[in-house]
Amino acid sequence: DDMAWAGSPLLQCLVAEGLIAMKKIPEAVTVLDRVEAAFPKALRPKQLRGLALARSGQTTKAQLLLGKLYAAGEIDPETLGILARTWMDRYNQSGEQIFLLKSRDLYRQVFEAFPTDYYSGINAASKSLLAGEKETAAQIAARVQKVVGNTVGKDYWTTATAAELQLLQSKFSEAAALYRAAVVMAPGDRGSHESTRAQAKLLLQALGASEVQRALIDAAFL
């Protein structure tokens, strides 16, 4: 009942975000139920619910929720980024190329509008590579590298992004070292690790990596 908690959705949203990162989805949903009841017009709880649904495999529900936000004019990096992720989930589930292209286009839309948003940028680059657009992927990756660099960053996602940039350049040893550094930075964020690892596996396949190279990257997440 403290004012810091009751006067704003911020702290409760941070709790939910942390729980989602740790793959504690039911606990996160419990927090989100409370915060949405108290702040029904707040955007962040709705975004996090969409992420929780996506992380728990409820892709259709996540798309419906995020699609409503998009239709209502919410075109910020977080809303479009999570929505783009759900289209990628559908691609992974079905193998239908059109879903991959939809995901790529949404990430690209965000990155063009917000050129410092490295998360959307790295995803636009990676999805372009998966779609067979190597030159486009390289061009976007170069822009992302100007934002995050190529060394250990300030937190999990900047470091994981730097790792993925190395992977896009087929620098497998450098990528593995950065992936490992990212995991060590946030050892409890298993949901985030799984998401990053899944993307790395797709990229390794697209790059035609050897078994040794695949094992090197995979070992970084153990």
Side-chain angles (χ1 to χ4, degrees):
D1 295 326
D2 186 274
M3 193 60 188
W5 293 87
S8 164
L10 176 61
L11 292 180
Q12 293 182 71
C13 284
L14 288 173
V15 172
E17 188 174 357
L19 289 167
I20 293 169
M22 292 187 290
K23 208 179 177 182
K24 296 182 179 291
I25 304 300
E27 293 91 336
V29 170
T30 298
V31 174
L32 291 171
D33 286 342
R34 292 182 58 183
V35 70
E36 285 191 80
F39 303 95
K41 294 183 179 180
L43 174 61
R44 186 59 177 156
K46 295 179 176 64
Q47 293 171 333
L48 290 172
R49 185 177 293 276
L51 179 59
L53 289 167
R55 286 274 181 96
S56 61
Q58 300 179 72
T59 308
T60 301
K61 289 183 177 180
Q63 277 200 327
L64 286 171
L65 172 60
L66 295 159
K68 287 180 181 178
L69 295 177
Y70 184 37
E74 298 296 345
I75 56 172
D76 59 280
E78 191 72 14
T79 300
L80 290 190
I82 303 171
L83 180 58
R85 179 245 162 86
T86 65
W87 284 108
M88 190 62 189
D89 288 341
R90 290 188 64 179
Y91 168 72
N92 290 331
Q93 293 159 9
S94 68
E96 292 190 39
Q97 187 81 351
I98 192 67
F99 297 150
L100 170 62
L101 299 179
K102 177 67 173 179
S103 177
R104 177 208 62 190
D105 287 350
L106 284 169
Y107 281 124
R108 186 75 181 269
Q109 179 183 345
V110 177
F111 191 52
E112 295 302 332
F114 302 91
T116 60
D117 187 64
Y118 62 85
Y119 179 81
S120 62
I122 190 62
N123 276 287
S126 294
K127 272 51 173 182
S128 294
L129 178 66
L130 295 175
E133 301 165 350
K134 293 184 178 180
E135 289 186 11
T136 300
Q139 291 169 2
I140 298 173
R143 291 167 58 192
V144 177
Q145 192 153 27
K146 291 179 180 179
V147 179
V148 300
N150 56 8
T151 58
V152 174
K154 62 181 180 180
D155 55 24
Y156 175 83
W157 286 112
T158 54
T159 305
T161 297
E164 196 162 313
L165 285 167
Q166 295 300 307
L167 186 57
L168 286 170
Q169 300 172 65
S170 297
K171 296 180 179 179
F172 300 102
S173 296
E174 294 88 339
L178 286 168
Y179 278 129
R180 169 57 71 178
V183 170
V184 170
M185 281 177 135
D189 290 5
R190 298 188 181 277
S192 299
H193 302 169
E194 288 182 8
S195 179
T196 305
R197 188 180 195 179
Q199 176 116 311
K201 286 183 176 180
L202 289 173
L203 292 174
L204 287 164
Q205 183 176 354
L207 291 166
S210 68
E211 288 299 320
V212 172
Q213 291 164 338
R214 294 184 189 208
L216 181 66
I217 298 298
D218 200 50
F221 294 93
L222 300 179

